Amino acid sequence: MKDRILSGMRPTGRLHLGNYFGALKNWIELQKTYECFFFIADFHALTTSYESPADIRSNVEEMALDFLAAGIDPGKSTLFLQSLVPTHAEAHLLFSMFTPLAWLERTPSYKEMIETLKDRDLRTYGFLGYPLLQTVDIVLYHPKFVPVGVDQVPHIELCREIVRRFNHLYKSDLPEPQPLLTASPKLPGIDGQKMSKSYNNTIELFGSASETKKRIMSIKTDSTPVGEPKDPAACNVFAILSLLCGDAERKSWEERYRAGGMGYGDVKKALAEKYEEVFGAMRARRDELARDRGAVWEILRKGSARALDISTNHLAAMRRAIGIAY
Ligand code: AMP
């Protein structure tokens, strides 16, 4: 029996290289070792996009295509859509009864997101409950591990706290999940800040070859002249290039940086070529998959039915523990 893991992503737009190197690539590798549950968190997307939900459906479809093209294998892993599995909504309601408001209010991401997304009113019941919804997403499947980046660790800690409260109140033994840390550096975007849709600085995972090349050529660098030695560790182009190279190739680039005589334009061209080498075939597979969108929905529906089956059993046990099983 393999240990179970579970992780989700919000369908808020096209995936970028930060999402790939920060999460998706890791998920694909984890499929070899674990029984994997991956989901598209459309309820979570609603917490911040409740005023403009029109894109959610197409974002779900595009995200499923990205996942499948990148290597999520529905024959090995359960890929599901959160809102097609209504146990999440019911468990969220049950858990909302005993989760102290203060635990949610002090979650670091809560105030941060309200500050960052100033264009919308996030002082809603649903947005405050975001980490609680994450908690039930997890506990419904009893995973041993939840693969996350460091920024998500406080949410796993909160989940564990809520599980302990449930177990204490209802004399139960729901398992506490552990974070499985993704060892990935924060990928810079083309302006040098963290690559993020909110900063409009992303390089899409599956952008067209010409669009991607344009974005790569516009990556911000310093103005060290071509002839001068350069520091690879301080270069945004190298930060991305090094993730696409093997060890030997990375070393050879480092040497070229330090030797001088190499311009940033050369590295950018090399990055555009490397990008095509690594992602070109995946993009072709995505184009192929995109021809039959019905089949993509079929995969999501099948995965969601399996997720419903498993989570229904666990939810029934929670209802019995609380004392409302009839
Ligand atoms: P988001 O859509 O920003 O919530 O990101 C989804 C996933 O991608 C999360 O697991 C993030 O940790 C990861 N991610 C997003 N942006 C980056 C980045 N610039 N560098 C590394 N990982 C990232």
Side-chain angles (χ1 to χ4, degrees):
M1 281 275 283
K2 289 178 170 175
D3 285 331
R4 182 174 291 170
I5 62 163
L6 170 134
S7 203
M9 243 191 260
R10 296 187 325 142
T12 49
R14 303 296 297 265
L15 290 184
H16 54 74
L17 291 183
N19 302 133
Y20 180 75
F21 287 107
L24 186 54
K25 182 167 186 265
N26 192 36
W27 289 8
I28 288 152
E29 271 152 29
L30 291 168
Q31 294 183 114
K32 295 181 197 141
T33 319
Y34 295 99
E35 183 201 11
C36 298
F37 283 72
F38 299 122
F39 68 101
I40 300 179
D42 58 340
F43 280 150
H44 281 284
L46 264 183
T47 63
T48 50
S49 304
Y50 63 89
E51 285 176 300
S52 50
D55 292 339
I56 293 180
R57 191 185 197 281
S58 70
N59 285 346
V60 165
E61 206 173 279
E62 299 301 326
M63 179 166 265
L65 281 167
D66 287 348
F67 284 0
L68 295 168
I72 297 294
D73 177 354
K76 280 192 201 147
S77 301
T78 303
L79 176 60
F80 69 94
L81 178 56
Q82 188 183 32
S83 75
L84 287 180
V85 189
T87 41
H88 290 244
E90 186 178 338
H92 184 239
L93 177 122
L94 290 178
F95 276 56
S96 74
M97 302 299 170
F98 63 85
T99 301
L101 271 181
W103 291 10
L104 298 172
E105 283 163 348
R106 73 171 189 225
T107 310
S109 58
Y110 181 62
K111 284 195 189 116
E112 238 173 72
M113 290 270 280
I114 286 181
E115 281 301 304
T116 314
L117 302 176
K118 275 221 158 56
D119 58 324
R120 29 201 136 158
D121 186 358
L122 293 183
R123 286 160 307 158
T124 60
Y125 179 51
F127 186 68
L128 178 66
Y130 187 109
L132 178 62
L133 183 55
Q134 275 190 332
T135 295
V136 307
D137 292 337
I138 298 168
V139 299
L140 280 170
Y141 299 91
H142 295 191
K144 181 145 186 185
F145 297 110
V146 183
V148 288
V150 253
D151 50 333
Q152 284 290 319
V153 171
H155 287 185
I156 306 296
E157 276 310 315
L158 176 67
C159 169
R160 290 163 60 86
E161 229 170 341
I162 294 172
V163 166
R164 289 197 288 274
R165 186 158 164 85
F166 180 92
N167 287 340
H168 172 75
L169 287 169
Y170 308 117
K171 311 288 167 279
S172 197
D173 56 359
L174 264 184
E176 286 179 39
Q178 308 274 349
L180 186 67
L181 273 182
T182 309
S184 78
K186 255 185 207 164
L187 198 70
I190 59 173
D191 61 356
Q193 297 187 81
K194 177 187 167 177
M195 189 179 286
S196 166
K197 276 175 295 242
S198 335
Y199 301 139
N200 192 23
N201 65 357
T202 62
I203 297 173
E204 280 185 10
L205 175 57
F206 293 121
S208 70
S210 63
E211 176 57 24
T212 306
K213 184 151 188 209
K214 237 170 46 204
R215 299 289 280 178
I216 289 174
M217 296 315 285
S218 67
I219 297 175
K220 200 172 141 193
T221 56
D222 60 31
S223 47
T224 315
V226 174
E228 301 283 311
K230 298 174 181 63
D231 178 8
C235 176
N236 297 322
V237 189
F238 183 80
I240 304 175
L241 180 65
S242 65
L243 291 171
L244 296 169
C245 293
D247 285 344
E249 211 176 336
R250 188 180 311 121
K251 277 214 177 77
S252 130
W253 276 109
E254 278 171 347
E255 281 158 21
R256 289 183 63 186
Y257 267 81
R258 296 208 174 93
M262 179 205 78
Y264 288 119
D266 300 334
V267 212
K268 288 179 180 177
K269 276 201 201 100
L271 174 57
E273 275 164 30
K274 199 77 202 172
Y275 169 90
E276 275 309 305
E277 196 183 308
V278 175
F279 295 113
M282 266 189 220
R283 186 173 50 218
R285 187 158 69 219
R286 192 187 190 286
D287 292 345
E288 193 61 38
L289 288 164
R291 285 200 199 133
D292 188 357
R293 288 170 184 260
V296 174
W297 281 99
E298 200 42 49
I299 289 169
L300 287 177
R301 286 188 197 287
K302 217 168 137 196
S304 301
R306 182 172 145 69
L308 182 62
D309 206 35
I310 291 167
S311 58
T312 297
N313 281 333
H314 290 155
L315 181 62
M318 292 173 204
R319 288 188 59 143
R320 281 197 299 277
I322 296 171
I324 54 161
Y326 310 110

